[in-house]
Amino acid sequence: MNVDTVVGMFSIEIRRTFAVRQGLPAPVRDAKNLPPLMPAEGFRVTMRAGFSFEDDQLGERGWFVDTDALDESVDRCAERLAGGAWPEIFDFRPSFENVTKWAFTELAPSIPQLDYVELDNETIGVATRYVRSH
């Protein structure tokens, strides 16, 4: 089969892994006198940013966008998330839901056709994904 006769869609995901300090109280754990889940070094989080595009959007070089060009904005977003306790960084309540939406809004202008941003809290095994409405 010739590669030019196949019709489909591409999906690319960019990932960064780092530590974050959410810094919000845990009312359920507090009520049961349980220790906090967050270790001193913070939660291990992988941020995923995914975008997709059609076959006919490939350029002459055989790509839709040079992912190297996206690295700077993805790194800048990850650095902000890892830059301190979230209540000190953000002027909104920094739940994983709110911060994931913030990251999507932050990355959307620099990642064409951004489909989602996900913050996967690997320490506790919970991922939060914000998806673009179609």
Side-chain angles (χ1 to χ4, degrees):
M1 177 183 288
N2 184 336
V3 73
D4 292 330
T5 62
V6 176
V7 177
M9 189 167 188
F10 294 94
S11 179
I12 294 179
E13 182 178 88
I14 301 170
R15 293 180 294 278
R16 296 293 186 275
T17 300
F18 45 89
V20 304
R21 290 182 288 135
Q22 184 186 28
L24 292 179
V28 172
R29 295 189 69 78
D30 291 345
K32 295 178 179 182
N33 288 325
L34 296 172
L37 284 174
M38 188 169 69
E41 66 275 6
F43 291 123
R44 178 182 164 90
V45 169
T46 296
M47 177 176 65
R48 294 177 175 86
F51 61 99
S52 56
F53 51 94
E54 303 285 338
D55 281 346
D56 63 359
Q57 291 182 281
L58 289 176
E60 292 176 7
R61 301 185 85 176
W63 60 29
F64 171 64
V65 64
D66 182 353
T67 55
D68 291 342
L70 306 178
D71 282 343
E72 186 176 315
S73 57
V74 173
D75 288 342
R76 190 171 42 248
C77 185
E79 287 169 9
R80 176 118 187 247
L81 294 175
W86 285 357
E88 297 166 7
I89 295 172
F90 298 110
D91 61 358
F92 53 83
R93 187 172 193 284
S95 64
F96 268 82
E97 292 84 352
N98 287 335
V99 173
T100 305
K101 183 178 179 180
W102 171 86
F104 184 96
T105 303
E106 190 76 9
L107 292 172
S110 60
I111 300 179
Q113 297 172 208
L114 182 64
D115 288 324
Y116 64 87
V117 169
E118 177 179 284
L119 295 179
D120 182 356
N121 184 334
E122 296 175 14
T123 304
I124 63 173
V126 175
T128 304
R129 182 177 281 200
Y130 187 82
V131 180
R132 173 175 49 106
S133 295
H134 294 307

